[in-house]
Amino acid sequence: MGPLAAAQLTRTSLSTSTGATAPTVARSEVAEWESLVGASFLIGGEAGKAVAKLAAIERPAFDPKRPAGLARAQPFTAWFEMDTRLAPAGQRTYTVGHPTKGVINLFLGRGADKRGKAVVLALFN
């Protein structure tokens, strides 16, 4: 697969009755992003700010052996589509804005163009 992107967010957790730590925000984070599929984001790239549509969220099967110290319990990939002429080159951190998510810095990769649109991806590991 082409370049991947990483974004780290704080993990919130609760202690369970067994003393184990159960992630809360991290488990719901992917669902929050899934609810935004089809929404418009503003990505600041080399050609300036441009609108990108969140086209899809992909998440691998949950791995119970995933190390607990990672930023989130469930990794996922966010796929954006946008005008090819305005798409960022990728392989670095860009500013991404959305009315409910606010402005966040994401390391974005560039996928293969699809249906005449540039594909940009962010890996939330």
Side-chain angles (χ1 to χ4, degrees), residues 1-8 58 60 75-79 89-94 106-112 119-125:
M1 170 118 317
L4 295 180
Q8 298 298 318
E58 288 183 5
F76 61 96
T77 304
W79 298 90
Q91 291 307 97
R92 73 178 188 90
T93 303
Y94 296 91
L106 293 177
F107 190 93
L108 300 176
R110 186 75 186 264
V119 176
V120 178
L121 61 133
L123 174 65
F124 293 80
N125 195 12

Side-chain angles (χ1 to χ4, degrees), residues 70-86:
L70 297 177
R72 59 192 43 81
Q74 175 68 61
F76 61 96
T77 304
W79 298 90
F80 298 91
E81 290 182 349
M82 61 190 304
D83 185 311
T84 305
R85 297 168 295 152
L86 302 173

Side-chain angles (χ1 to χ4, degrees), residues 3-99:
L4 295 180
Q8 298 298 318
L9 299 175
T10 305
R11 180 183 221 170
T12 304
S13 61
L14 299 171
S15 293
T16 63
S17 58
T18 61
T21 302
T24 54
V25 171
R27 287 189 191 270
S28 66
E29 182 184 17
V30 67
E32 180 184 342
W33 278 89
E34 285 172 331
S35 73
L36 294 173
V37 169
S40 294
F41 288 74
L42 197 58
I43 297 178
E46 293 82 6
K49 294 181 181 178
V51 175
K53 181 179 102 177
L54 180 59
I57 297 292
E58 288 183 5
R59 57 168 133 174
F62 181 75
D63 181 1
K65 296 178 185 175
R66 184 173 169 80
L70 297 177
R72 59 192 43 81
Q74 175 68 61
F76 61 96
T77 304
W79 298 90
F80 298 91
E81 290 182 349
M82 61 190 304
D83 185 311
T84 305
R85 297 168 295 152
L86 302 173
Q91 291 307 97
R92 73 178 188 90
T93 303
Y94 296 91
T95 302
V96 178
H98 182 267

